[in-house]
Amino acid sequence: MKRNAVIPYAIIATVGILMIIVMSTAGVFQRGNDQQAAEGGEEVSDPEAIFEGNCMSCHGADLSGVGNAPGLTNVGAELSKEEIQNIIIQGTDGGMPGGLVNNEQAQVLAEWLSEKKE
């Protein structure tokens, strides 16, 4: 008796498609959980963690600035807390993009950075 050669390929394709659907669904739920955790305040209260996760790549671990990004070691002497917060939220023309953190994180960062007066 001759077996149909297409059946094993059809089974493999079906299993592959099911695996993709399951992994995609799991990823969507994981992303939702991550967003809820971030919005829930886990990182909102720690300005250094917020800075490390969102700002350090451009402004440097020591706040000295990297490339065209300005240093922030003395930003509190140059700008008010409100001005810093506005820059964090809105960004700057041709420079820093806005919206990298949510409003609560921006407020925590602005308060922390406003204390940087070298």
Side-chain angles (χ1 to χ4, degrees):
M1 189 157 42
K2 208 172 190 184
R3 291 188 178 196
N4 190 347
V6 176
I7 292 176
Y9 294 110
I11 292 172
I12 291 171
T14 303
V15 170
I17 291 170
L18 288 174
M19 286 178 55
I20 289 171
I21 292 170
V22 169
M23 289 172 39
S24 297
T25 304
V28 168
F29 286 121
Q30 181 64 39
R31 182 175 183 202
N33 291 340
D34 290 346
Q35 287 177 344
Q36 286 177 350
E39 292 170 1
E42 284 183 7
E43 292 186 15
V44 172
S45 62
D46 185 6
E48 292 177 7
I50 298 168
F51 181 85
E52 184 177 316
N54 299 285
C55 315
M56 187 171 70
S57 62
C58 293
H59 293 285
D62 60 354
L63 305 174
S64 64
V66 176
N68 292 334
L72 301 175
T73 56
N74 198 31
V75 70
E78 300 168 5
L79 300 170
S80 70
K81 175 185 168 191
E82 292 77 23
E83 291 171 320
I84 296 169
Q85 185 172 349
N86 187 46
I87 290 171
I88 293 169
I89 293 170
Q90 301 295 325
T92 60
D93 290 335
M96 182 177 138
L100 295 176
V101 296
N102 64 38
N103 289 343
E104 292 175 24
Q105 292 172 324
Q107 184 176 4
V108 171
L109 269 175
E111 186 171 334
W112 179 66
L113 289 170
S114 68
E115 297 170 358
K116 304 296 179 193
K117 299 180 181 179
E118 205 170 79

XYZ file of all heavy atoms in Angstrom:
858
model
N 0.836 -1.170 0.000
C 0.000 0.000 0.000
C 0.890 1.246 0.000
O 1.860 1.321 0.728
C -0.896 -0.029 1.233
C -1.896 1.031 1.139
S -3.412 0.913 2.054
C -3.111 0.325 3.624
N 0.506 2.218 -0.789
C 1.276 3.426 -0.939
C 0.747 4.499 0.017
O -0.434 4.754 0.079
C 1.147 3.891 -2.382
C 2.292 4.648 -2.876
C 2.118 4.879 -4.358
C 3.393 5.425 -4.900
N 3.305 5.759 -6.289
N 1.674 5.153 0.741
C 1.271 6.223 1.668
C 1.332 7.566 0.962
O 2.175 7.785 0.090
C 2.199 6.255 2.868
C 2.027 5.053 3.738
C 2.821 5.234 4.976
N 2.609 4.091 5.848
C 2.903 4.081 7.103
N 3.476 5.106 7.654
N 2.661 3.029 7.830
N 0.489 8.461 1.406
C 0.460 9.803 0.845
C 1.599 10.622 1.481
O 1.660 10.781 2.698
C -0.892 10.453 1.120
C -1.070 11.748 0.365
O -0.113 12.299 -0.182
N -2.300 12.218 0.340
N 2.486 11.186 0.668
C 3.655 11.908 1.160
C 3.302 13.292 1.701
O 4.097 13.920 2.391
C 4.684 12.036 0.057
N 2.135 13.780 1.414
C 1.730 15.122 1.840
C 1.296 15.138 3.312
O 1.446 16.143 4.003
C 0.585 15.643 0.931
C 0.067 16.978 1.394
C 1.048 15.715 -0.504
N 0.796 14.052 3.828
C 0.254 14.003 5.190
C 1.294 14.387 6.248
O 0.997 15.208 7.113
C -0.385 12.626 5.473
C -1.640 12.478 4.613
C -0.723 12.483 6.954
C -2.313 11.141 4.716
N 2.522 13.876 6.234
C 3.484 14.313 7.258
C 3.777 15.813 7.204
O 3.902 16.471 8.228
C 4.743 13.502 6.935
C 4.282 12.342 6.140
C 3.062 12.796 5.419
N 3.840 16.353 5.980
C 4.085 17.792 5.849
C 2.900 18.604 6.372
O 3.072 19.647 7.001
C 4.385 18.156 4.387
C 5.675 17.568 3.901
C 5.693 16.539 2.970
C 6.890 18.034 4.395
C 6.876 15.994 2.528
C 8.087 17.496 3.957
C 8.081 16.476 3.025
O 9.256 15.947 2.594
N 1.703 18.127 6.135
C 0.499 18.808 6.619
C 0.461 18.777 8.148
O 0.104 19.782 8.793
C -0.753 18.167 6.037
N 0.845 17.671 8.737
C 0.865 17.560 10.199
C 1.907 18.503 10.783
O 1.635 19.231 11.745
C 1.123 16.103 10.629
C -0.068 15.215 10.257
C 1.412 16.020 12.131
C 0.168 13.738 10.456
N 3.090 18.533 10.187
C 4.154 19.424 10.670
C 3.718 20.886 10.538
O 3.924 21.692 11.441
C 5.462 19.155 9.900
C 6.011 17.781 10.276
C 6.487 20.250 10.184
C 7.171 17.318 9.420
N 3.100 21.248 9.426
C 2.640 22.623 9.221
C 1.574 22.996 10.247
O 1.600 24.093 10.822
C 2.100 22.785 7.803
N 0.645 22.092 10.516
C -0.415 22.350 11.491
C 0.157 22.533 12.888
O -0.217 23.469 13.610
C -1.437 21.192 11.483
O -1.946 21.036 10.157
C -2.572 21.464 12.437
N 1.069 21.672 13.280
C 1.705 21.793 14.591
C 2.487 23.102 14.680
O 2.429 23.810 15.695
C 2.621 20.574 14.879
C 3.469 20.798 16.113
C 1.788 19.312 15.027
N 3.189 23.469 13.633
C 3.944 24.722 13.615
C 3.039 25.935 13.768
O 3.328 26.862 14.528
N 1.933 25.941 13.039
C 0.982 27.053 13.128
C 0.393 27.138 14.537
O 0.269 28.232 15.105
C -0.120 26.913 12.055
C 0.487 27.143 10.670
C -1.265 27.871 12.320
C -0.441 26.797 9.522
N 0.038 26.018 15.110
C -0.490 26.014 16.484
C 0.538 26.534 17.482
O 0.196 27.284 18.406
C -0.955 24.607 16.868
C -2.236 24.121 16.189
C -2.496 22.658 16.544
C -3.405 24.988 16.572
N 1.801 26.156 17.289
C 2.858 26.646 18.186
C 3.007 28.160 18.070
O 3.172 28.853 19.077
C 4.182 25.945 17.875
C 4.227 24.506 18.353
S 5.769 23.647 17.929
C 6.992 24.707 18.607
N 2.930 28.687 16.871
C 3.039 30.131 16.675
C 1.885 30.850 17.361
O 2.073 31.869 18.032
C 3.083 30.470 15.168
C 4.424 30.019 14.583
C 2.866 31.960 14.929
C 4.505 30.107 13.075
N 0.678 30.320 17.237
C -0.485 30.933 17.880
C -0.338 30.908 19.395
O -0.579 31.917 20.068
C -1.786 30.219 17.440
C -2.053 30.509 15.957
C -2.963 30.642 18.303
C -3.160 29.676 15.352
N 0.084 29.795 19.956
C 0.254 29.685 21.406
C 1.341 30.635 21.894
O 1.165 31.354 22.886
C 0.580 28.223 21.808
C 1.020 28.132 23.257
C -0.637 27.338 21.568
N 2.467 30.689 21.190
C 3.561 31.573 21.611
C 3.165 33.037 21.486
O 3.517 33.856 22.329
C 4.819 31.257 20.793
C 5.431 29.914 21.161
S 6.780 29.318 20.113
C 7.713 30.730 19.730
N 2.431 33.390 20.447
C 1.981 34.773 20.275
C 1.025 35.174 21.391
O 1.123 36.266 21.946
C 1.291 34.944 18.928
O 2.189 34.700 17.883
N 0.108 34.296 21.715
C -0.842 34.574 22.791
C -0.112 34.737 24.117
O -0.401 35.668 24.882
C -1.881 33.433 22.892
O -2.507 33.273 21.620
C -2.921 33.738 23.933
N 0.832 33.866 24.383
C 1.607 33.981 25.625
C 2.385 35.294 25.647
O 2.470 35.959 26.686
C 2.549 32.795 25.771
N 2.936 35.700 24.517
C 3.678 36.956 24.445
C 2.800 38.163 24.696
O 3.197 39.113 25.371
N 1.584 38.141 24.161
C 0.653 39.252 24.381
C 0.319 39.356 25.864
O 0.308 40.452 26.435
C -0.626 39.066 23.532
C -1.714 40.025 23.965
C -0.309 39.241 22.060
N 0.043 38.232 26.509
C -0.266 38.269 27.935
C 0.933 38.720 28.753
O 0.799 39.470 29.707
C -0.767 36.900 28.422
C -2.159 36.593 27.982
C -2.430 35.477 27.225
C -3.211 37.440 28.313
C -3.720 35.193 26.814
C -4.503 37.166 27.907
C -4.762 36.040 27.148
N 2.134 38.285 28.387
C 3.341 38.694 29.104
C 3.562 40.195 28.951
O 3.908 40.876 29.899
C 4.558 37.924 28.599
C 5.839 38.283 29.308
C 5.803 37.928 30.780
O 5.275 36.910 31.174
N 6.348 38.799 31.611
N 3.372 40.705 27.746
C 3.539 42.152 27.516
C 2.533 42.930 28.354
O 2.863 43.944 28.939
C 3.363 42.465 26.034
C 3.561 43.919 25.729
C 3.505 44.188 24.255
N 3.768 45.599 24.022
C 3.399 46.241 22.956
N 2.772 45.599 21.996
N 3.654 47.509 22.821
N 1.298 42.468 28.400
C 0.285 43.130 29.221
C 0.664 43.121 30.686
O 0.500 44.124 31.386
N 1.190 42.014 31.169
C 1.623 41.923 32.565
C 2.789 42.862 32.840
O 2.852 43.500 33.890
C 2.012 40.487 32.923
C 0.826 39.552 32.962
O -0.314 39.985 33.087
N 1.083 38.261 32.832
N 3.736 42.965 31.895
C 4.871 43.871 32.054
C 4.410 45.316 32.110
O 4.891 46.103 32.918
C 5.882 43.693 30.919
C 6.623 42.372 30.985
O 6.561 41.707 32.041
O 7.251 41.998 29.968
N 3.459 45.683 31.249
C 2.953 47.047 31.247
C 2.210 47.347 32.540
O 2.345 48.423 33.105
C 2.043 47.279 30.047
C 2.786 47.377 28.744
C 1.862 47.537 27.560
O 0.666 47.283 27.643
N 2.429 47.955 26.444
N 1.430 46.403 33.029
C 0.710 46.610 34.283
C 1.682 46.768 35.431
O 1.485 47.593 36.318
C -0.235 45.445 34.562
C -1.459 45.447 33.692
C -2.341 44.240 33.957
O -1.960 43.310 34.664
N -3.534 44.246 33.383
N 2.760 46.006 35.430
C 3.749 46.110 36.501
C 4.426 47.470 36.472
O 4.636 48.103 37.501
C 4.787 44.998 36.381
N 4.766 47.949 35.278
C 5.419 49.256 35.160
C 4.472 50.370 35.555
O 4.860 51.331 36.220
C 5.926 49.469 33.735
N 3.211 50.252 35.168
C 2.239 51.270 35.529
C 1.840 51.161 36.990
O 1.380 52.127 37.579
C 1.008 51.140 34.639
C 1.288 51.502 33.196
C 0.138 51.152 32.264
O -0.891 50.640 32.750
O 0.287 51.381 31.057
N 2.024 49.997 37.556
C 1.635 49.775 38.943
C 2.574 50.402 39.945
O 2.322 50.376 41.135
N 3.677 50.955 39.521
C 4.546 51.689 40.418
C 5.801 50.967 40.838
O 6.493 51.427 41.726
N 6.119 49.844 40.241
C 7.316 49.123 40.653
C 8.569 49.957 40.448
O 9.445 49.984 41.280
C 7.438 47.809 39.875
C 6.485 46.750 40.365
C 6.684 45.453 39.627
O 7.630 45.320 38.844
O 5.878 44.550 39.851
N 8.662 50.660 39.314
C 9.854 51.436 39.018
C 9.626 52.931 39.168
O 10.543 53.709 39.045
C 10.326 51.141 37.588
C 10.856 49.739 37.407
C 11.444 49.540 36.024
O 11.686 50.527 35.326
O 11.659 48.388 35.660
N 8.400 53.345 39.408
C 8.074 54.766 39.437
C 8.798 55.486 40.563
O 9.208 56.627 40.406
C 6.545 54.970 39.543
C 6.200 56.418 39.762
C 5.872 54.457 38.291
N 9.025 54.853 41.672
C 9.584 55.551 42.823
C 11.116 55.591 42.835
O 11.689 56.307 43.640
C 9.078 54.905 44.113
O 9.521 53.565 44.174
N 11.773 54.874 41.962
C 13.234 54.828 41.956
C 13.777 55.572 40.737
O 13.853 55.019 39.644
C 13.719 53.382 41.948
C 15.228 53.267 42.067
O 15.897 54.302 42.266
O 15.741 52.142 41.954
N 14.165 56.835 40.916
C 14.621 57.618 39.765
C 15.869 57.053 39.104
O 16.032 57.157 37.886
C 14.880 59.006 40.352
C 15.079 58.784 41.804
C 14.246 57.593 42.148
N 16.743 56.450 39.883
C 17.956 55.885 39.301
C 17.637 54.707 38.391
O 18.263 54.533 37.343
C 18.943 55.513 40.396
C 19.491 56.741 41.114
C 20.417 56.423 42.265
O 20.767 55.238 42.451
O 20.787 57.361 42.984
N 16.646 53.896 38.774
C 16.230 52.768 37.929
C 15.570 53.267 36.653
O 15.802 52.730 35.568
C 15.277 51.854 38.691
N 14.762 54.317 36.764
C 14.130 54.901 35.586
C 15.201 55.455 34.646
O 15.173 55.222 33.443
C 13.145 56.017 35.988
C 12.017 55.455 36.848
C 12.570 56.700 34.746
C 11.162 56.510 37.515
N 16.163 56.190 35.216
C 17.247 56.770 34.425
C 18.052 55.671 33.736
O 18.342 55.754 32.552
C 18.164 57.615 35.320
C 19.287 58.263 34.575
C 19.096 59.469 33.933
C 20.536 57.668 34.509
C 20.129 60.075 33.224
C 21.573 58.256 33.808
C 21.369 59.471 33.167
N 18.375 54.634 34.487
C 19.179 53.535 33.935
C 18.469 52.855 32.773
O 19.076 52.517 31.770
C 19.486 52.516 35.025
C 20.395 51.405 34.578
C 20.728 50.447 35.715
O 21.014 50.915 36.823
O 20.686 49.235 35.465
N 17.170 52.684 32.888
C 16.421 51.980 31.852
C 16.058 52.819 30.644
O 15.766 52.278 29.589
N 16.070 54.153 30.778
C 15.560 54.985 29.697
C 16.499 56.095 29.227
O 16.355 56.575 28.109
C 14.243 55.634 30.124
C 13.181 54.620 30.443
O 12.613 54.021 29.555
N 12.935 54.396 31.721
N 17.414 56.527 30.064
C 18.180 57.737 29.763
C 19.692 57.517 29.692
O 20.413 58.280 29.055
C 17.912 58.800 30.833
S 16.180 59.001 31.267
N 20.179 56.505 30.381
C 21.605 56.308 30.559
C 22.355 56.111 29.244
O 23.494 56.555 29.109
C 21.861 55.118 31.489
C 23.313 54.935 31.855
S 23.556 53.702 33.149
C 23.146 52.207 32.290
N 21.726 55.502 28.268
C 22.435 55.242 27.017
C 22.839 56.529 26.306
O 23.843 56.553 25.602
C 21.585 54.378 26.089
O 20.391 55.048 25.759
N 22.114 57.600 26.514
C 22.466 58.882 25.880
C 23.168 59.844 26.833
O 24.054 60.587 26.429
C 21.214 59.563 25.333
S 20.463 58.679 23.952
N 22.750 59.838 28.093
C 23.285 60.814 29.041
C 24.414 60.250 29.912
O 24.980 60.986 30.717
C 22.162 61.368 29.914
C 21.189 62.192 29.136
N 21.471 63.453 28.701
C 19.929 61.906 28.703
C 20.424 63.933 28.045
N 19.484 63.009 28.018
N 24.723 58.974 29.757
C 25.841 58.363 30.474
C 25.487 57.926 31.874
O 24.638 58.518 32.532
N 26.163 56.893 32.339
C 25.911 56.359 33.679
C 26.259 57.372 34.763
O 25.650 57.389 35.826
C 26.703 55.071 33.890
N 27.221 58.236 34.467
C 27.640 59.248 35.450
C 27.043 60.619 35.146
O 27.491 61.629 35.689
C 29.161 59.328 35.500
C 29.780 59.722 34.159
O 29.032 59.814 33.159
O 30.997 59.930 34.114
N 26.033 60.666 34.289
C 25.317 61.898 33.908
C 26.183 62.876 33.118
O 25.827 64.038 32.966
C 24.728 62.610 35.137
C 23.805 61.822 36.042
C 23.446 62.633 37.271
C 22.550 61.431 35.312
N 27.308 62.428 32.602
C 28.231 63.330 31.913
C 27.848 63.586 30.460
O 28.406 64.473 29.830
C 29.654 62.782 31.982
O 29.730 61.552 31.285
N 26.921 62.830 29.919
C 26.521 62.992 28.532
C 27.343 62.119 27.612
O 28.509 61.861 27.866
N 26.728 61.657 26.533
C 27.399 60.815 25.553
C 27.111 61.402 24.180
O 25.954 61.658 23.845
C 26.883 59.356 25.614
C 27.506 58.514 24.527
C 27.136 58.752 26.983
N 28.134 61.638 23.392
C 27.935 62.204 22.059
C 27.319 63.588 22.122
O 27.807 64.461 22.828
N 26.206 63.771 21.424
C 25.521 65.063 21.394
C 24.590 65.290 22.573
O 24.092 66.398 22.757
C 24.723 65.210 20.094
C 25.615 65.323 18.883
O 26.758 65.762 18.993
N 25.097 64.934 17.738
N 24.316 64.257 23.345
C 23.420 64.403 24.502
C 24.138 65.186 25.599
O 25.281 64.900 25.921
C 22.991 63.039 25.020
N 23.454 66.163 26.171
C 24.111 66.983 27.189
C 24.312 66.234 28.502
O 23.579 65.299 28.826
C 23.135 68.141 27.387
C 21.802 67.580 27.012
C 22.081 66.589 25.916
N 25.306 66.665 29.247
C 25.514 66.154 30.589
C 24.447 66.703 31.520
O 23.908 67.789 31.305
N 24.128 65.962 32.548
C 23.070 66.367 33.467
C 23.582 66.569 34.892
O 22.794 66.702 35.814
C 21.958 65.304 33.464
C 21.304 65.035 32.103
C 20.318 63.873 32.221
C 20.615 66.274 31.571
N 24.884 66.624 35.065
C 25.446 66.735 36.415
C 25.097 68.054 37.082
O 25.104 68.149 38.300
C 26.976 66.581 36.385
O 27.526 67.555 35.498
C 27.379 65.184 35.952
N 24.777 69.084 36.290
C 24.498 70.410 36.834
C 23.142 70.933 36.354
O 22.880 72.130 36.421
C 25.613 71.379 36.422
C 25.645 72.619 37.254
O 25.287 72.592 38.434
N 26.057 73.723 36.666
N 22.281 70.053 35.885
C 21.030 70.473 35.274
C 20.106 71.176 36.273
O 19.368 72.081 35.908
C 20.318 69.293 34.581
C 19.772 68.283 35.584
C 19.238 69.776 33.646
N 20.166 70.810 37.535
C 19.309 71.428 38.544
C 19.642 72.890 38.783
O 18.786 73.669 39.191
N 20.875 73.300 38.536
C 21.275 74.700 38.679
C 20.866 75.520 37.460
O 20.757 76.745 37.546
C 22.780 74.791 38.885
N 20.618 74.855 36.343
C 20.298 75.551 35.102
C 18.804 75.595 34.810
O 18.315 76.541 34.207
C 21.024 74.880 33.935
C 22.536 74.889 34.083
C 23.230 73.972 33.092
O 22.546 73.389 32.221
O 24.459 73.838 33.196
N 18.067 74.560 35.211
C 16.644 74.456 34.907
C 15.847 74.138 36.169
O 16.342 73.454 37.065
C 16.391 73.352 33.872
C 17.067 73.491 32.511
C 16.897 72.204 31.710
C 16.505 74.674 31.749
N 14.612 74.595 36.213
C 13.728 74.267 37.337
C 13.194 72.845 37.174
O 13.289 72.254 36.091
C 12.554 75.245 37.392
O 11.679 75.015 36.297
N 12.599 72.338 38.219
C 12.016 71.000 38.179
C 10.946 70.919 37.089
O 10.871 69.948 36.344
C 11.414 70.651 39.536
C 10.694 69.333 39.566
C 10.012 69.106 40.896
C 9.074 67.927 40.792
N 8.202 67.802 41.939
N 10.135 71.965 36.972
C 9.069 71.986 35.975
C 9.648 72.005 34.559
O 9.115 71.337 33.664
C 8.157 73.197 36.194
C 7.329 73.122 37.461
C 8.111 73.427 38.747
O 9.164 74.100 38.668
O 7.678 72.970 39.810
N 10.705 72.755 34.340
C 11.334 72.796 33.018
C 11.932 71.440 32.657
O 11.809 70.980 31.519
C 12.425 73.877 32.976
C 11.888 75.289 33.046
C 12.989 76.319 33.227
O 13.940 76.079 33.988
O 12.872 77.396 32.591
N 12.570 70.813 33.625
C 13.147 69.475 33.387
C 12.046 68.481 33.049
O 12.153 67.707 32.102
C 13.964 69.009 34.611
C 15.173 69.924 34.831
C 14.400 67.560 34.448
C 15.882 69.703 36.148
N 10.963 68.529 33.822
C 9.849 67.610 33.590
C 9.243 67.841 32.209
O 8.925 66.886 31.494
C 8.781 67.773 34.664
C 7.650 66.775 34.559
C 6.706 66.837 35.744
O 6.991 67.489 36.756
N 5.580 66.174 35.641
N 9.110 69.081 31.794
C 8.560 69.388 30.475
C 9.455 68.830 29.370
O 8.973 68.278 28.381
C 8.378 70.898 30.312
C 7.665 71.241 29.030
O 6.658 70.623 28.702
N 8.187 72.202 28.307
N 10.757 68.955 29.532
C 11.687 68.414 28.527
C 11.594 66.892 28.474
O 11.597 66.297 27.396
C 13.132 68.872 28.826
C 13.268 70.374 28.562
C 14.135 68.083 27.980
C 14.579 70.966 29.016
N 11.471 66.265 29.628
C 11.363 64.801 29.668
C 10.094 64.350 28.949
O 10.110 63.391 28.176
C 11.381 64.282 31.121
C 12.751 64.524 31.751
C 11.016 62.802 31.175
C 12.793 64.286 33.250
N 9.000 65.049 29.171
C 7.717 64.655 28.577
C 7.640 65.041 27.104
O 7.254 64.233 26.261
C 6.541 65.284 29.360
C 6.476 64.678 30.764
C 5.219 65.064 28.630
C 5.516 65.381 31.706
N 8.008 66.283 26.777
C 7.849 66.794 25.414
C 9.041 66.514 24.507
O 8.895 66.494 23.293
C 7.614 68.311 25.458
C 6.394 68.723 26.241
C 5.102 68.231 25.619
O 4.970 68.163 24.409
N 4.144 67.865 26.465
N 10.244 66.369 25.092
C 11.446 66.229 24.291
C 11.937 67.592 23.838
O 11.419 68.624 24.259
N 12.932 67.609 22.974
C 13.464 68.857 22.436
C 13.515 68.762 20.920
O 13.543 67.673 20.353
C 14.886 69.147 22.969
O 15.756 68.086 22.580
C 14.893 69.270 24.487
N 13.536 69.910 20.263
C 13.600 69.934 18.801
C 14.935 69.381 18.324
O 15.990 69.889 18.676
C 13.439 71.363 18.287
C 12.029 71.883 18.499
O 11.110 71.061 18.587
O 11.854 73.116 18.576
N 14.887 68.338 17.537
C 16.085 67.776 16.940
C 17.004 67.068 17.920
O 18.099 66.668 17.564
N 16.577 66.906 19.152
C 17.429 66.271 20.148
C 16.723 65.111 20.809
O 16.450 64.092 20.191
N 16.401 65.296 22.056
C 15.798 64.232 22.839
C 14.341 64.001 22.435
O 13.565 64.952 22.325
C 15.856 64.617 24.321
C 15.309 63.567 25.235
S 15.501 64.065 26.923
C 13.929 63.575 27.557
N 13.963 62.742 22.229
C 12.558 62.459 21.936
C 11.732 62.514 23.217
O 12.217 62.213 24.304
C 12.591 61.033 21.373
C 13.810 60.420 21.966
C 14.798 61.550 22.145
N 10.503 62.921 23.102
C 9.600 62.934 24.248
C 8.924 61.592 24.421
O 8.982 60.726 23.558
N 8.273 61.431 25.553
C 7.466 60.247 25.785
C 8.231 58.979 26.074
O 7.686 57.889 25.923
N 9.471 59.085 26.491
C 10.239 57.876 26.802
C 9.782 57.239 28.109
O 9.993 56.048 28.321
C 11.737 58.193 26.877
C 12.382 58.656 25.569
C 13.834 59.033 25.801
C 12.267 57.584 24.511
N 9.188 58.046 28.987
C 8.666 57.552 30.257
C 7.268 58.122 30.439
O 6.889 59.109 29.803
C 9.575 57.946 31.450
C 10.944 57.313 31.333
C 9.706 59.451 31.580
N 6.488 57.527 31.342
C 5.154 58.060 31.592
C 5.248 59.306 32.489
O 6.324 59.654 32.976
C 4.240 56.982 32.195
C 4.680 56.503 33.558
O 5.145 57.276 34.394
N 4.539 55.209 33.809
N 4.138 59.972 32.707
C 4.130 61.244 33.444
C 4.614 61.096 34.885
O 5.312 61.972 35.395
C 2.753 61.880 33.401
C 2.403 62.428 32.038
O 3.279 62.618 31.195
N 1.132 62.672 31.803
N 4.231 60.008 35.540
C 4.679 59.796 36.922
C 6.193 59.599 36.982
O 6.866 60.156 37.853
C 3.973 58.582 37.538
C 2.491 58.784 37.761
C 1.823 57.516 38.250
O 2.507 56.646 38.832
O 0.601 57.390 38.036
N 6.720 58.824 36.065
C 8.167 58.610 36.005
C 8.884 59.911 35.663
O 9.950 60.194 36.208
C 8.511 57.522 34.989
C 8.055 56.148 35.400
C 8.230 55.118 34.305
O 8.059 55.408 33.123
N 8.566 53.891 34.689
N 8.293 60.707 34.780
C 8.890 61.995 34.429
C 8.957 62.909 35.646
O 9.946 63.615 35.846
C 8.083 62.656 33.305
N 7.933 62.875 36.461
C 7.911 63.705 37.675
C 9.006 63.267 38.648
O 9.728 64.102 39.204
C 6.541 63.617 38.339
C 6.389 64.505 39.542
C 4.979 64.445 40.108
O 4.128 63.693 39.648
N 4.738 65.240 41.131
N 9.151 61.962 38.835
C 10.189 61.439 39.732
C 11.575 61.780 39.199
O 12.450 62.225 39.957
C 10.018 59.907 39.909
C 11.189 59.305 40.636
C 8.723 59.601 40.647
N 11.784 61.599 37.906
C 13.076 61.937 37.290
C 13.383 63.426 37.421
O 14.512 63.811 37.742
C 13.066 61.567 35.809
C 13.542 60.191 35.428
C 13.340 59.956 33.941
C 14.978 59.953 35.802
N 12.380 64.264 37.159
C 12.582 65.709 37.223
C 12.960 66.149 38.634
O 13.851 66.996 38.809
C 11.328 66.437 36.755
N 12.313 65.573 39.616
C 12.650 65.924 41.004
C 14.085 65.516 41.323
O 14.844 66.271 41.924
C 11.672 65.245 41.970
C 11.857 65.677 43.401
C 10.748 65.168 44.303
O 9.633 64.923 43.811
O 11.010 65.016 45.498
N 14.470 64.329 40.910
C 15.822 63.820 41.152
C 16.861 64.662 40.422
O 17.884 65.049 40.994
C 15.881 62.354 40.716
C 17.194 61.671 40.879
C 17.836 61.373 42.048
C 18.038 61.153 39.828
N 19.009 60.705 41.785
C 19.155 60.562 40.435
C 17.924 61.138 38.453
C 20.163 59.958 39.693
C 18.923 60.526 37.723
C 20.037 59.950 38.337
N 16.591 64.964 39.146
C 17.550 65.745 38.355
C 17.641 67.201 38.825
O 18.693 67.817 38.715
C 17.188 65.682 36.873
C 17.439 64.338 36.197
C 16.812 64.315 34.801
C 18.920 64.018 36.135
N 16.540 67.725 39.347
C 16.572 69.112 39.821
C 17.493 69.290 41.022
O 17.931 70.392 41.320
C 15.166 69.607 40.154
O 14.657 68.933 41.295
N 17.824 68.197 41.680
C 18.768 68.235 42.817
C 20.213 68.177 42.361
O 21.127 68.365 43.170
C 18.465 67.069 43.764
C 17.083 67.136 44.385
C 16.696 65.877 45.125
O 17.491 64.898 45.144
O 15.592 65.837 45.673
N 20.431 67.923 41.083
C 21.797 67.821 40.536
C 22.317 69.232 40.261
O 22.028 69.848 39.257
C 21.826 66.992 39.250
C 21.256 65.596 39.398
C 22.066 64.777 40.351
C 21.458 63.380 40.492
N 22.003 62.650 41.594
N 23.078 69.747 41.213
C 23.600 71.117 41.099
C 25.104 71.128 41.267
O 25.684 72.139 41.570
C 22.921 72.020 42.120
C 21.434 72.098 41.896
C 20.747 72.979 42.881
C 19.259 72.961 42.585
N 18.503 73.774 43.515
N 25.708 69.999 41.093
C 27.163 69.762 41.171
C 27.782 70.509 42.262
O 28.202 71.249 42.833
C 27.808 70.056 39.816
C 29.085 69.285 39.658
C 29.585 69.386 38.236
O 30.171 70.405 37.859
O 29.349 68.412 37.515
